[in-house]
Amino acid sequence: AIKIGNDMKLELHQFPSSHFNEKARWALDYKGLEHSRLNYLPGPHMRPIKKLSSQRKTPVLKLDNEIVAGSAQIIDRLEQIAPLPALYPRESSDRAAALMLQRELDENLGPSVRLALFSEMLDEGAYFCRQFSEGKSLPVRLAYRAAYPMAKGLIKKGNGLTGQDAVDAAYKTVADILDEIAEKVSATGFLVGKQFSVADLTAAALLAPAVNPPNCDMTKPEPIPKCVVDFLARWSDHPTTAWVLEIYGKYRAPKSANVEAARN
């Protein structure tokens, strides 16, 4: 692992099972940057994250006394302090295309994957809470599960689950983007140019909840309920699913055990 000049301390404040947080983790790991990870529970995270970063979303990266919020902003900052291995293409036109793809995928794919999955999983309260509270103490896990029935409505509202039309639109968006990715990568294996970039990282990370890549934070805990098994099966034969697994296999290091720090 690499230490940044003067032993800069990097802390990633995150949800382990979130695909946007996976983008930041992946960038840190890809660049070999030493860091700690502080894990939060969705919902109870809002007060401490707001105090830390003046907003309520994860991921947040703390670099000594500097605070960077948002996966795209974190990747941009990491490119500045640790340019190699690069996630931004060298050619300016390719770089612009990769950054545009990241923005589009962040705005459209990420929320749609989450909404589609939550539409299937919200009635599986025990599994939902387990996925987001793994690694926490038993009392914290039990308290989180007990609060779930009251929080379920807020989770729906916060993730745009307003009715079947929203769910159908999310599924269509995911299906359309899967087709677009398959077409784009057919020539070179990459979304932009001939090398792995932030565009590929973003697409693979944001699709992780629909693909279930092995040996990483995004791997779903077993046993998986039937509704989630069916969700994963929906796209299991799509060429983009195979591409995501290939990208994970080639460019994503296995889950590291020595960078996790629990926050209750």
Side-chain angles (χ1 to χ4, degrees):
I2 300 170
K3 288 187 177 181
I4 300 301
N6 299 321
D7 293 334
M8 178 185 285
K9 185 179 180 182
L10 302 180
E11 286 182 354
L12 182 66
H13 297 251
Q14 63 152 11
F15 303 148
S17 58
S18 162
H19 52 347
F20 281 102
N21 289 261
E22 170 70 354
K23 283 182 59 188
R25 285 192 299 267
W26 193 336
L28 285 159
D29 289 342
Y30 184 71
K31 291 177 176 293
L33 295 174
E34 236 178 52
H35 64 285
S36 60
R37 298 178 186 170
L38 283 75
N39 298 334
Y40 294 77
L41 290 169
H45 79 285
M46 287 192 287
R47 182 176 294 178
I49 290 295
K50 178 70 181 296
K51 182 177 180 181
L52 175 70
S53 64
S54 301
Q55 55 89 57
R56 293 186 172 90
K57 295 181 179 180
T58 62
V60 174
L61 184 66
K62 184 178 180 183
L63 308 89
D64 288 340
N65 294 319
E66 180 186 355
I67 301 298
V68 183
S71 61
Q73 292 79 7
I74 288 170
I75 292 172
D76 190 66
R77 189 69 180 101
L78 295 179
E79 281 288 290
Q80 296 169 21
I81 65 174
L84 297 176
L87 284 169
Y88 287 177
R90 180 177 299 178
E91 295 292 330
S92 59
S93 59
D94 285 347
R95 176 173 174 167
L99 290 174
M100 180 180 292
L101 267 174
Q102 178 184 214
R103 285 193 298 272
E104 292 175 351
L105 293 168
D106 281 352
E107 291 173 4
N108 300 309
L109 178 62
S112 295
V113 168
R114 182 174 55 215
L115 194 158
L117 176 58
F118 281 13
S119 75
E120 307 293 347
M121 197 170 69
L122 275 177
D123 288 334
E124 294 284 344
Y127 189 76
F128 185 96
C129 292
R130 178 187 171 195
Q131 184 166 337
F132 283 98
S133 64
E134 274 203 317
K136 297 297 183 182
S137 67
L138 179 59
V140 169
R141 295 200 308 271
L142 291 174
Y144 195 59
R145 177 66 183 97
Y148 181 77
M150 294 177 287
K152 186 176 174 182
L154 295 174
I155 295 170
K156 284 185 174 182
K157 183 178 179 181
N159 289 280
L161 271 164
T162 55
Q164 191 59 46
D165 287 348
V167 174
D168 292 344
Y171 270 110
K172 184 179 187 306
T173 295
V174 175
D176 289 347
I177 293 176
L178 284 169
D179 291 344
E180 291 170 11
I181 290 173
E183 183 177 353
K184 284 180 181 292
V185 303
S186 60
T188 66
F190 301 104
L191 283 167
V192 175
K194 297 180 180 180
Q195 289 184 318
F196 178 73
S197 76
V198 64
D200 305 300
L201 182 155
T202 298
L206 295 184
L207 281 169
V211 174
N212 197 30
N215 304 317
C216 70
D217 291 281
M218 298 306 295
T219 306
K220 299 187 188 307
E222 299 279 354
I224 303 174
K226 184 180 184 303
C227 63
V228 179
V229 171
D230 292 345
F231 175 81
L232 295 171
R234 191 180 189 108
W235 298 295
S236 60
D237 293 331
H238 197 285
T240 295
T241 296
W243 175 82
V244 169
L245 292 172
E246 181 181 3
I247 290 292
Y248 260 88
K250 289 183 176 179
Y251 300 101
R252 185 74 175 98
K255 183 177 179 180
S256 176
N258 64 353
V259 294
E260 300 292 338
R263 177 181 290 268
N264 291 334

